[in-house]
Amino acid sequence: MPHPKMNFISKIANRFIYIIFLLFPWPVFAQNLVKYVQPMAGTAIATTASALKHGQAADTRFANTIPAVTAPFAMTQWTPETESGETKCVPPYYYKDSVFNGLRGSHWLSGSCTQDYGSFTIMPVTGKLKTANYGATFKHTDELSSPHFYSINLNQYKVKAAVTSTERCGIMQLTMGQADSLYLLIKANSDYHEGFVKVDKQKGEISGYNPAHRIYQGWGKSAGFSGFFVIRFERSLDKTGTFSGDKIFNADSIKNDAGTGIYAGFKLNKGEKLTIRIGTSFTSLDGARKNLQAEMPGFDFDKMVESSRVKWEKALGQINISTNSEQDKRIFYTSFYHAMQHPRLFNDVDGRYPRFAGDYQIEQLSGGNYYDDFSMWDIYRAQLPLFEILNPTLINNLAKSLILKGKQGGWMPVFPCWNSYTSEMIGDHTASVVSSAYLKGITDFDAKEAYQILRHNAFELPANRADYVEGKGRRALDSYLKYQYIPLEDSVRDAFHKMEQVSRTMEYAYDDYALAQFAKALKKPADYTALTKRAKYYANVFDATSGFVRGKHADGTWISPFDPDKKATYITEGTARQYTFYVPQDVTGLAKLMGGTKKLEQSLDSLFEKGEYWHGNEPGHQIPFMYNYSPSPWKTQAAVRKILATEYSDGPGGLGGNDDAGQMSAWYLFASMGFYPVNPVSGEYLLCSPLFDKIAITLQNGKKFEIICHKSSPKSMYIRSVKLNGKMMPDNFIRYNDIRNGGKLDIYLNDQPGNNWAIKPANQPKGM
């Protein structure tokens, strides 16, 4: 046993080292960036003009984020719960609510309109044991929220609850405001009444699971895995039992009933703390135990809070911005935090994970990590491209995860969530993600194998109809190949999003372009030629007479009557005017269909002048940057600045619609830094004027890419000229390797539009 004096000296030394760390922090932590993150942002209803005009219902005007305590891309998020259950489109927390139901280990898809799954909740109550109607009223002044720590003072119970986390585990601390009995109520949140909770006094452990279920294709069926949790206590368990509603039982386990759980009671003095550790897993209770032992072996709550804080400082510190606007810093770093919620880590520390679309089968990784919850229709646009720049290792793991899903399920999923096929939304954008990674040199996967799985989706349909109904294969591929567009007569009935024929045609055309580039890189000329031809199928739903995309019958006639500004069944979540601009692979080709680049500019003008631009819906995210393909690139600079000012703010209502797993937030990050991937596969980023004076991006390879703004006045926002590494650059776009190689981009700004900068087609992206 160490000598007491040596323990004292060690403590003094550690305290001295900690003080030195605070006085002389590492440069990456110098700005204290965590303080700018507002986890409550997006938990209240949006009030932006476009959200009020175009949002279909109140639920689409919520960003549907939660105040998550988590690590970047972690397995489990820890959030206060104000909404019970796992109901579709209802997140665990709304800012408008005033009753706290506990701290939840959540798998909510951040910013979505999906569901939570495999979750559980821990609620502290004091005094007499209460197992029903135990929610505590609270005010937001009782809460403290950050990425690495959440606490709430429950005045009703005279107890403070706090939580911090690692990638797979959480640690909670309850602090007593008075001497009293403290009970913890632990519930598996199964809306299917399949949850199980058990107490083992001898081990000092409470454990349980909540089986996950599918939605969309296969709605209600088992997802083939559960959310498992194991809770360890720093003191021995004494008074325990089970409950169902207000009924209390003297038993050590309970399952398959509504409102059921375990309670554990303790006698504590004023100021006394109870700390509990929680491991989570998607494979087993044993997996949760191993995760807990590996990531959180002790009960030092403050140490884990600091460890989590440092982790977030490092992640946020990859991008440092210089600006005098504290509000802009809050919006930026909150967006960065939101962009690091998903995809979700799915494997245990030992590499075990549930087989994709499997039936409680477990697979073993040979290396790396396995991820799920890809809100693919959203995040292929900007969120994943952001991390192609910042974290190629993550992108490689994501690509390998998608390839594993395709191998294990037989078909590449189009929107893999809760480790299942969903066929949610439209398109087949895994083709974009995997192709883009490979073309950018992120290649630590079997490219030939990946290509064959993607090709399977693009050229074939399941021979077994049951597989198709389950969500395997592209929806309406047979019609797309037969007519070279999807006609109105094909209602696409085996999909959650039925019809939407024009939008599907356009998104498949982009995916075919993406796969064509992969085919070219792998020297497959026949496939490249066929897919490149299909990449122009978008033109088959463009009506030259009206100047818009339009629903088309199998006989080639256009739908009538036609109003480009009314929502239509053949358009996904929008109007024909809005969707006309979804041709990221061939903007120059779209301009030709319209009658030239000047006509493209006029069409863009009309969209904005009519107030028809809807930033809350992803298919329009590239639109403001499309002026860079016109004679007036300065209009991109003006449009983007306006969107940054009106569609984003700080505070709980600061997002204009569903954040969709970080896509809305990633748009802000790119746009505010001055570049955006209109066509993610191309590796080209369209320029606009940065919001900040200086941006420094620290790359994973150790290099830095800096963007420096030189303004004629504080109001300057129009680009006069650009230099890349000291050389004049006439183009209005930069390339992936310009960034990944490190260097400096100098952007010179004026108060008035620069009518001569990058106005020639030679200085603009070429498209196809």
Side-chain angles (χ1 to χ4, degrees), residues 131 210 509 583 633 715:
T131 59
N210 178 4
V583 190
K715 295 181 180 180

Side-chain angles (χ1 to χ4, degrees), residues 172-240:
M172 296 182 187
Q173 190 171 80
L174 297 309
T175 305
M176 298 296 288
Q178 64 182 23
D180 207 342
S181 296
L182 170 67
Y183 293 93
L184 296 185
L185 310 180
I186 300 156
K187 295 172 56 180
N189 300 317
S190 175
D191 286 353
Y192 290 83
H193 304 167
E194 293 177 352
F196 172 79
V197 192
K198 179 181 180 179
V199 60
D200 187 327
K201 286 187 177 181
Q202 194 170 13
K203 285 185 178 179
E205 175 184 283
I206 292 176
S207 60
Y209 59 80
N210 178 4
H213 289 259
R214 296 168 64 184
I215 62 174
Y216 307 127
Q217 301 301 109
W219 197 309
K221 293 182 180 180
S222 169
F225 70 97
S226 297
F228 296 91
F229 60 91
V230 169
I231 305 172
R232 293 278 172 84
F233 296 77
E234 66 174 337
R235 60 179 67 205
S236 61
L237 291 170
D238 184 16
K239 189 175 183 180
T240 63

Side-chain angles (χ1 to χ4, degrees), residues 596-643:
T597 55
K598 190 64 181 177
K599 287 287 188 181
L600 171 67
E601 179 184 351
Q602 291 169 357
S603 295
L604 290 166
D605 288 344
S606 179
L607 176 84
F608 287 105
E609 289 166 1
K610 289 176 174 288
E612 290 298 318
Y613 176 71
W614 181 15
H615 191 66
N617 204 30
E618 279 76 11
H621 276 186
Q622 80 284 351
I623 290 176
F625 295 90
M626 290 172 65
Y627 281 115
N628 274 6
Y629 295 84
S630 81
S632 302
W634 65 268
K635 291 185 178 179
T636 279
Q637 299 146 41
V640 169
R641 278 297 183 94
K642 183 176 180 180
I643 294 166

Side-chain angles (χ1 to χ4, degrees), residues 343 347 353 356 363-372 374 376 384 392-409 412-413 416 419 430 433-435 437-438 442-447 449-451 453-454 518:
N347 62 282
Y353 68 97
F356 180 74
E363 299 285 346
Q364 178 70 52
L365 291 169
S366 58
N369 285 316
Y370 175 78
Y371 291 84
D372 196 61
F374 289 77
M376 195 64 80
L384 293 183
T393 300
L394 170 69
I395 295 297
N396 198 84
N397 274 310
L398 299 181
K400 290 173 77 171
S401 298
L402 292 168
I403 296 163
L404 280 174
K405 296 176 199 299
K407 288 176 62 178
Q408 292 169 7
M412 191 65 82
N419 211 35
T430 303
V433 173
V434 177
S435 300
Y438 184 79
I442 304 170
T443 59
D444 186 22
F445 54 83
D446 189 328
E449 179 181 62
Y451 178 80
I453 299 170
L454 292 169
F518 201 177

Side-chain angles (χ1 to χ4, degrees), residues 80 87 93 134-135 148 161 232 259 288 307 406 423-424 433 461 551 604 627 682 692 696 736-737 760:
T87 306
Y93 182 95
Y134 49 73
H148 65 289
R232 293 278 172 84
S307 175
S423 285
E424 164 60 338
V433 173
L461 276 172
L604 290 166
Y627 281 115
S682 71
F692 311 114
Y736 181 75
N737 285 336
K760 297 178 180 179

Side-chain angles (χ1 to χ4, degrees), residues 37-58:
V37 177
Q38 298 183 308
M40 292 292 172
T43 62
I45 197 165
T47 56
T48 65
S50 71
L52 294 173
K53 177 173 181 177
H54 298 291
Q56 295 174 331

Side-chain angles (χ1 to χ4, degrees), residues 530-597:
L531 289 163
T532 299
K533 178 182 177 181
R534 285 163 52 171
K536 288 188 176 285
Y537 282 3
Y538 72 88
N540 297 333
V541 291
F542 181 85
D543 172 24
T545 302
S546 66
F548 300 103
V549 294
R550 186 171 176 179
K552 196 173 189 179
H553 292 288
D555 64 4
T557 60
W558 299 107
I559 191 171
S560 186
F562 171 68
D563 185 336
D565 295 323
K566 285 188 177 180
K567 291 180 180 176
T569 59
Y570 50 83
I571 297 292
T572 300
E573 297 180 0
T575 67
R577 185 187 298 274
Q578 293 160 354
Y579 239 100
T580 292
F581 297 101
Y582 182 80
V583 190
Q585 76 278 20
D586 194 23
V587 179
T588 54
L590 175 65
K592 288 179 182 177
L593 290 177
M594 289 180 166
T597 55

